[in-house]
Structures are given as structure tokens and as C-alpha cells.
Amino acid sequence: MSPLTNTIVLAIAGLATQASASTIKVAVGKSGLTFAPDTVTASAGDVLEFHFYAKNHSVVMGDWTDACVPAKTGGFYSGFFPTAANTSNAEVFSVTINDTTPIAFYCSQNTGSHCKNGMVGVVNPSGENTLEAYQAKAKSVSSAESPATVFGGVVSAAPAASSTGTETGASSTASSTSSSSASASTKPNGAASLGVSSVTGMVAIVGAAALFVY
Ligand SMILES: *[C@@H]1O[C@H](CO)[C@@H](O)[C@H](O)[C@H]1NC(C)=O
Ligand SMILES: *[C@@H]1O[C@H](CO)[C@@H](O)[C@H](O)[C@H]1NC(C)=O
Ligand SMILES: *[C@@H]1O[C@H](CO)[C@@H](O)[C@H](O)[C@H]1NC(C)=O
Ligand SMILES: [Cu+2]
């Protein structure tokens, strides 16, 4: 490639990296009564993609004050995803994050008291709104509530490569190589690293730029 082409490619890659939204995979019940990760940092436009494991879990956006109770306004509810042992469900539930307001979520399965037993997670914890605070409140709740209907997200077929990790959703025009994910690194506090995969973005954009140039 000529130096000019290189410059163009780098410039485009830089723009794409800035503008990209991430898809953040969350494993539901893969390892006991847990969401993994259970602490997520997300930007507006990012998508939480919930992958369900055995036996039968859900995810509900919760109210910060009343643990294991749906958010008073807005939010989301996936419904239940009964899943055979050692598999992940063929479908996922995807929720778009619209802003950085702290969000609590929980599993509403009462057989086994999942919320009470700590099956909760948080997005963008801040101030008093933390995972620990929500789990502490959940401990004294006798049963979790499920909303009447699924809402606030999209149920769809699980993407082909459904390993749990963090992927960028930057490049819809990318070739199949771009779907290989940057694996999520986990910080000591359990928060998922949301660093955008510049490697993935570069590969995709280099391909696109090459098409453009030739
Ligand atoms: C999954 O759990 C929900 C809520 O407890 C229940 O209504 C539903 O029957 C369960 N489904 C299966 C297949 O166990
Ligand atoms: C699921 O995996 C566990 C651990 O690897 C194994 O002990 C168990 O037998 C498996 N269950 C089924 C239904 O395959
Ligand atoms: C984001 O907005 C969409 C569309 O209004 C809504 O369906 C979704 O529930 C919102 N996300 C959250 C986390 O509330
Ligand atoms: Cu559960």
C-alpha cells in the first residue's frame, strides 16, 4: 500500500474505533446462580447480549430500592429460557443500553430463590448503587417478581460463535474474520473490560478500504 493509502486506512480505523458500539455477552447461569460478568461498564448504544444456560433462568431490570422487583419505569424482561444441561440456549436476549445511569438486573426464578441467592448483576455501578448493595437487599426478599410480558429487548437466534466474551459491533460490512472476538479481560473487581477491539476494527476497515482503493 502507498503511504497515502496507509494514512487513509489508519484514519478510517481510528474513526471506526471511536464510533463503535460494543456487544457485551453475559452468561446467565453458566456457573451456578450467576451472571458473568456481574458488573458491566457500558456506554450508550452498547448491547447486552444475555446467553442462557441450564436450567431455567430469566433476566429482569430491577428497582434499586426494592430488590428482586422490576424497575418502576422502563427496563426489560427476557422471559424464561429453559435450557438443557451443559448447553446454552439457542436464543439470546439483547438489550440496548441508552445511557450510563446505573442499572440493576436479576433472575426472577423462584424455584431455588435465584435473586435472593445473589443471582443479580449491575451496569455502570455508581455511588450507593453497587452489586454488593443490591445483593445485600436481595437477601431479605422472599420471592422475586417477573413482569407479565417480555419487553425492552429482542429475543433472537444466538450468534454462531457464541462463546462468552466481549465483541465489537463496529463493522457490519466486515468479512467473517471480524466476528472473531476480542476476549473480555476481567479486572480484579470483576468488571468486564470494555476496551474496543482495535485489532478487530482494523482488520475489518482495512478490508473495506482495500475494496475502496482498488
Ligand atoms: C421455567 O421457570 C418458570 C418460572 O418458574 C416456569 O413458569 C416454567 O414452567 C419453567 N419452565 C420449565 C420448562 O421448567
Ligand atoms: C454436564 O457436565 C458436567 C461436568 O462437566 C457433568 O458432570 C455432567 O454429567 C454433564 N451433564 C450432562 C447432562 O451432560
Ligand atoms: C433503551 O431504549 C429502548 C427503546 O426505547 C428500550 O426498549 C430499552 O428498554 C431501553 N433500554 C433500557 C436498558 O432501558
Ligand atoms: Cu436464575
Side-chain angles (χ1 to χ4, degrees), residues 92-115:
V92 297
F93 184 67
S94 300
V95 174
T96 300
I97 298 300
N98 302 313
D99 56 45
T100 55
T101 307
I103 290 174
F105 57 85
Y106 63 93
C107 174
S108 60
Q109 180 59 265
N110 282 318
T111 304
S113 305
H114 292 196
C115 186

Side-chain angles (χ1 to χ4, degrees), residues 33 56-58 107 109 114 119:
L33 300 182
N56 186 6
H57 304 283
S58 71
C107 174
Q109 180 59 265
H114 292 196
M119 191 166 183

Side-chain angles (χ1 to χ4, degrees), residues 21 28 32 89 113 128 137 165 203:
V28 184
N89 202 281
S113 305
E128 297 179 347
K137 286 177 189 167
V203 169

Side-chain angles (χ1 to χ4, degrees), residues 33-130:
L33 300 182
T34 59
F35 290 96
D38 58 10
T39 303
V40 172
T41 304
S43 305
D46 288 350
V47 174
L48 298 190
E49 188 178 272
F50 292 95
H51 291 245
F52 296 86
Y53 291 79
K55 289 181 173 176
N56 186 6
H57 304 283
S58 71
V59 60
V60 186
M61 180 169 144
D63 182 82
W64 277 106
T65 306
D66 294 328
C68 313
V69 168
K72 301 286 191 275
T73 56
F76 52 85
Y77 171 51
S78 66
F80 282 90
F81 285 73
T83 305
N86 299 340
T87 65
S88 57
N89 202 281
E91 293 184 318
V92 297
F93 184 67
S94 300
V95 174
T96 300
I97 298 300
N98 302 313
D99 56 45
T100 55
T101 307
I103 290 174
F105 57 85
Y106 63 93
C107 174
S108 60
Q109 180 59 265
N110 282 318
T111 304
S113 305
H114 292 196
C115 186
K116 185 186 183 74
N117 284 319
M119 191 166 183
V120 309
V122 297
V123 183
N124 298 322
S126 165
E128 297 179 347
N129 295 333
T130 64

